Amino acid sequence: MTSLCFICHPSNLQNHKYHQHAAQHTNTQTKQHYQHTHTHTNLYQEKGNLTSACNVESSVGEYERLHANETSVDERNSNYTSLVNSYYDLATLFYEWGWGTSFHFSNRHPHESFDEGTRRHEFYLASKLNLSGALGKLCDAMRKEMNGSYVEQDTVREGSTPSIANVKVLDVGCGIGGPMRNICKFTGADVTGLTLNQYQVHRGNELCRADAHFRNDDMENNGLPEVRCRSVQGDFMKQPFEPSSFDAAYAIEATCHAPDRVRCYAEVYRVLKPGAIFACYEWCLTDRYDEENPEHVSIKKQIEEGDGLPDIASTHHCLTALKKAGFEILEERDCVNDEYGGWQAPATGEYSTSKDARKRYRGGKPWMLPLMPSWNPFTQRFQFNWFGLRLTKYSLKVMEFLRLAPAGTSRTQILLQSGGMGLARGGELGIFTPMFLMVGRVPLDKED
């Protein structure tokens, strides 16, 4: 979940043909999907209607109301479904166009492309899930079901264990499923993504069905579903799944939308089997955040407004909530400070432009670099300098006037840009992290 922008990220120029096709397709389907003539734009006309409002302008109006200064954190928490739906109705296509299908950040190692860094970040989290252990438990369960008829052989043959596709993983807050599909390919497990926003469900499932890799061709004989990963609409505070129905779960920059972390993690706990692992990257305020510092408070507000958050929790709050929900804490750390060959303080790994940090620089790039201003007109970072901010704003206003973009598009972009600038500055100061790693395990004696 990132605060992204209208101008295309260089890594996604290869998607240009797709979006051209989508624009052609959706412009012919305008009457079918939307009843308002001013929503005919390639940014908002995709399969699946907006879910919080009938058009962009009313969506952004409701979103701005929920984030107005007179609206309390308690009210935003109580209306979190409306807040999150309004935000993702506005932001999802901006995200996909400007960033790709994985809505999250990652540091980049030297010589690592944007997409490679994104996938490595996802695969690292998947490596924490102990899926081999989950598969072993399935083997044990199958042997018990055989009621003593199972006979151990001296020679172990291929196919003696069930397929990893029988291991069921939950993606909590999946967006349009970029990480879900990457992790499904990487692990071979069956992955279900949960998202509150119905448009994201439509788009995610469309992308899953379009990739032949996810089809189970022999599903009639092996008992597996038609597609190995899928998106489901639902609230992760009240998940539509039976207790103890998943072998593992993960969340990538998603549970920051939860109005109550304990209740959110408790729902994940409920749907996991005994001994299962939950791993997540959380958006958090670090110990460097000072609530008495006006700049820090302003940055926090920018991030909340630009990213659909009712509030931002601290690392301590999230860890305590995970423990209260019932998990055993296996690992926790801020992955922002992991060594990646960038501008990092030698002692702490924190972002730094000091002389010592510059000496250690090997070409790595910090997570917030795409959101930091630049005067290079061939990068999306150009829009974060003072001239680019004005150019983007008035270009979109002209597009709205010419009815090439729906009313409210420029207001949406201003929100996203403001959030992006807050994230960049929060990263520079070290008061915010988008990748606080937490790994928890469900106790073996869990009772449903």
Side-chain angles (χ1 to χ4, degrees), residues 251-433:
I252 300 179
E253 303 182 21
T255 48
C256 51
H257 289 295
D260 183 327
R261 289 297 204 288
V262 176
R263 282 176 52 210
C264 176
Y265 298 150
E267 268 295 275
V268 178
Y269 180 93
R270 181 184 68 82
V271 302
L272 286 177
K273 297 176 182 178
I277 302 292
F278 171 55
C280 70
Y281 293 129
E282 264 293 6
W283 278 32
C284 293
L285 296 173
T286 72
D287 290 341
R288 284 179 171 267
Y289 178 78
D290 179 3
E291 62 182 13
E292 302 298 325
N293 185 315
E295 184 184 12
H296 291 191
V297 173
S298 176
I299 289 169
K300 178 177 180 284
K301 182 64 174 174
Q302 276 186 301
I303 296 172
E304 290 167 352
E305 289 182 347
D307 294 278
L309 308 182
D311 197 10
I312 307 177
S314 69
T315 54
H316 305 294
H317 177 89
C318 290
L319 274 173
T320 302
L322 193 66
K323 187 173 182 179
K324 283 184 178 179
F327 286 96
E328 301 168 348
I329 308 297
L330 301 182
E331 184 178 2
E332 52 82 19
R333 76 172 189 281
D334 187 357
C335 291
V336 160
N337 299 327
D338 288 356
E339 172 62 40
Y340 63 91
W343 288 352
Q344 295 178 272
T348 64
E350 295 175 336
Y351 175 79
S352 173
T353 56
S354 68
K355 185 176 180 180
D356 286 343
R358 290 198 297 271
K359 282 182 180 178
R360 290 165 49 88
Y361 179 70
R362 294 183 287 108
K365 297 176 175 60
W367 64 269
M368 66 281 190
L369 182 66
L371 304 178
M372 298 170 73
S374 167
W375 285 96
N376 181 352
F378 299 105
T379 171
Q380 95 290 345
R381 294 173 56 197
F382 180 79
Q383 69 185 295
F384 291 110
N385 66 53
W386 66 266
F387 179 74
L389 288 170
R390 288 165 176 75
L391 179 64
T392 306
K393 174 182 175 181
Y394 291 111
S395 295
L396 289 175
K397 284 187 175 293
V398 170
M399 291 176 68
E400 289 181 31
F401 177 77
L402 297 175
R403 304 177 74 85
L404 297 173
T409 300
S410 61
R411 289 161 65 192
T412 302
Q413 177 62 6
I414 290 169
L415 282 170
L416 298 180
Q417 283 180 323
S418 177
M421 291 185 290
L423 288 165
R425 187 60 179 152
E428 288 183 87
L429 295 177
I431 65 172
F432 170 82
T433 175

Side-chain angles (χ1 to χ4, degrees), residues 151-170:
V151 178
E152 192 77 47
Q153 301 289 331
D154 290 334
T155 303
V156 180
R157 300 184 182 278
E158 183 181 356
S160 61
T161 62
S163 166
I164 189 70
N166 289 280
V167 174
K168 301 195 178 301
V169 178
L170 176 64

